[in-house]
Amino acid sequence: MRALIEGGPPPDGRYGPYGGRYVPETLMEILIELERHAVELLADEGFQRELARELREFVGRPTPLTRAGSLGESWGAEVFLKREDLCHTGAHKINNAVGQALIARRLGARRIVAETGAGQHGVATAAAAARVGLPCTIFMGAIDGRRQAPNLERMRLLGADVRLVEEGDQTLRAAIDEAFRAWVADPVGTYYLLGSVVGPHPYPWLVRRLQTVIGAEARDQVVAAGGLPDVAVACVGGGSNSIGLFHGFLGDEGVALLGIEAGGRGGEADPHSATLVKGTSGVLHGAMTPLLQDAHGQIMETHSIAPGLDYPGVGPEHAFLRDLGRATYESATDAEALDALRQCSATEGILPALESAHALAGARRWAARNPGGRIVVGLSGRGDKDLAALAGGADHG
């Protein structure tokens, strides 16, 4: 636990039995070099000054911590929202995208490739690539492209070459598959800007390192507002927003960490995306981690009303925190998330992303079990992108 709190790369790229590098030989040396350069750059004062300036002037950090008085009164708790929805481009994804884009430019990359599910990482990558002056190609599942049409158009307006993936399940998993293929075809000239704490080492560590700004700010802000919370709650798909928030409180043993996965429609036989709750260990996209797979190791159909949570794997560090008992994970159904979204919108004047609404649903349930508690909820993104789904006009997968 001490090593996790200190924040360096894990030994051998592993979090207990999870993580590692399960990649073709052509990528092994590229990943080892990326880790070496990332460690050097993140310790370099000049790079840190450049990153801090971009986070301040381009991303808009620090983001506020908003006291949610109406939700608190309704839930019988003290509720604070960490407002990543107010970041430039509308979600926490920009923290990581800017950091990795700066690294890509320092490494002399000729282009950036990325994948996206909800479109938030794609928009963030397109914006960051434009900011540093690198062309980028973004892969997006065709189903997600229909669900997130406004973000698809935003990516194109920001100069990205967006390629819709018609193969596989046509969601985030298929988009990652295609981004990997594009990277393998030119691993030296291409920088793969991965959007979550998944994939082969060093990505789970690197993305977490760039997202810990969320938790560091949240801890300072909530302490200034009266003291540490009883619990920090965030949604978990791949898990970058949640691991970023959790790391701010990892060393505070009295602060519970609660991740909320997508429980789908909630029926026993219905597809869902609750990997940590119901998955088993396997290898996907270059890492050993809990997966939703059948007895033959085939990836199962997944579902969430929130495109950003619709992924059959999860970040390996989350699995390690679960096994250590430091974090707990539950799921919330589509219906519970929609209900929480409507309550937050109507009473707080804040329209959260469908992903963030899962965290709100989980926080509300925690409050019912712990009356009078003090809660920080990670609001990972804003809900403008979900208007078509909320109006019932989109394919929910």
Side-chain angles (χ1 to χ4, degrees), residues 167-182:
E167 290 76 24
D169 63 2
Q170 301 183 33
T171 64
L172 179 58
R173 173 189 163 201
I176 294 178
D177 287 342
E178 288 304 312
F180 259 81
R181 291 190 184 99

Side-chain angles (χ1 to χ4, degrees), residues 117-173:
Q120 291 168 316
H121 174 56
V123 171
T125 300
R131 181 74 174 176
V132 304
L134 285 172
C136 75
T137 301
I138 295 171
F139 296 91
M140 186 177 199
I143 289 175
D144 287 339
R146 290 195 293 274
R147 289 197 280 188
Q148 301 293 331
N151 274 344
L152 177 62
E153 186 58 28
R154 290 170 73 195
M155 285 184 267
R156 287 175 169 156
L157 286 170
L158 289 164
D161 171 20
V162 184
R163 300 187 186 179
L164 295 177
V165 181
E166 304 283 353
E167 290 76 24
D169 63 2
Q170 301 183 33
T171 64
L172 179 58
R173 173 189 163 201

Side-chain angles (χ1 to χ4, degrees), residues 50 69 84-85 91 152 176 180 214 221 245 271 295 302 331 397:
E50 183 180 21
E84 295 303 289
D85 59 311
L152 177 62
I176 294 178
F180 259 81
I214 302 171
Q221 291 165 328
L245 179 67
T302 57
S331 63

Side-chain angles (χ1 to χ4, degrees), residues 40-375:
E40 290 175 355
L41 285 171
L42 290 169
D44 180 80
E45 291 184 4
F47 181 82
Q48 282 293 344
R49 282 195 298 272
E50 183 180 21
L51 176 59
R53 184 176 63 246
E54 290 302 306
L55 291 176
R56 183 178 62 251
E57 297 180 3
F58 185 62
V59 174
R61 305 208 71 89
T63 58
L65 184 76
T66 300
R67 186 185 298 270
S70 295
L71 289 181
E73 184 175 350
S74 172
W75 297 358
E78 191 174 16
V79 181
F80 297 88
L81 306 176
K82 181 55 178 167
R83 302 291 305 283
E84 295 303 289
D85 59 311
L86 295 181
C87 286
H88 175 50
T89 70
H92 71 290
K93 295 291 187 180
I94 191 71
N95 306 318
N96 168 59
V98 164
Q100 287 199 59
L102 292 174
I103 290 173
R105 188 171 65 182
R106 292 287 188 105
L107 296 182
R110 293 189 293 272
R111 72 159 179 162
I112 287 171
V113 298
E115 82 298 328
T116 193
Q120 291 168 316
H121 174 56
V123 171
T125 300
R131 181 74 174 176
V132 304
L134 285 172
C136 75
T137 301
I138 295 171
F139 296 91
M140 186 177 199
I143 289 175
D144 287 339
R146 290 195 293 274
R147 289 197 280 188
Q148 301 293 331
N151 274 344
L152 177 62
E153 186 58 28
R154 290 170 73 195
M155 285 184 267
R156 287 175 169 156
L157 286 170
L158 289 164
D161 171 20
V162 184
R163 300 187 186 179
L164 295 177
V165 181
E166 304 283 353
E167 290 76 24
D169 63 2
Q170 301 183 33
T171 64
L172 179 58
R173 173 189 163 201
I176 294 178
D177 287 342
E178 288 304 312
F180 259 81
R181 291 190 184 99
W183 183 32
V184 170
D186 178 24
V188 176
T190 298
Y191 184 90
Y192 182 19
L193 203 159
L194 218 160
S196 193
V197 286
V198 299
H201 181 68
Y203 284 108
W205 163 76
L206 176 58
V207 177
R208 178 253 281 169
R209 179 70 184 268
L210 294 168
Q211 293 290 8
T212 51
V213 66
I214 302 171
E217 286 180 8
R219 189 182 189 283
D220 289 346
Q221 291 165 328
V222 74
V223 167
L228 286 169
D230 296 302
V231 65
V233 187
C235 62
V236 181
S240 65
N241 144 74
S242 44
I243 208 73
L245 179 67
F246 288 177
H247 258 262
F249 303 99
L250 204 57
D252 300 309
E253 294 183 0
V255 180
L257 308 175
L258 176 59
I260 306 298
E261 298 188 304
R265 298 181 185 91
E268 277 299 316
D270 289 332
H272 55 84
S273 303
T275 312
L276 286 160
V277 174
K278 297 185 177 180
T280 55
S281 291
V283 173
L284 180 67
H285 296 140
M288 174 72 73
T289 194
L291 305 175
L292 295 175
Q293 57 186 334
D294 63 20
H296 305 289
Q298 298 299 307
I299 298 300
M300 298 167 63
E301 179 188 0
T302 57
H303 164 80
S304 173
I305 195 172
L309 304 185
D310 194 358
Y311 181 61
V314 69
E317 188 173 353
H318 279 293
F320 192 42
L321 291 176
R322 177 198 63 183
D323 290 0
L324 292 173
R326 182 63 189 92
T328 56
Y329 297 87
E330 301 175 1
S331 63
T333 65
D334 292 350
E336 289 173 316
L338 283 169
D339 188 59
L341 179 146
R342 291 179 178 123
Q343 185 183 26
C344 181
S345 302
T347 64
E348 296 292 345
I350 298 170
L351 174 60
L354 282 167
E355 289 78 8
S356 311
H358 285 72
L360 290 166
R364 182 170 59 184
R365 200 162 53 207
W366 184 93
R369 299 193 299 261
N370 301 274
R374 186 174 169 87
I375 306 171

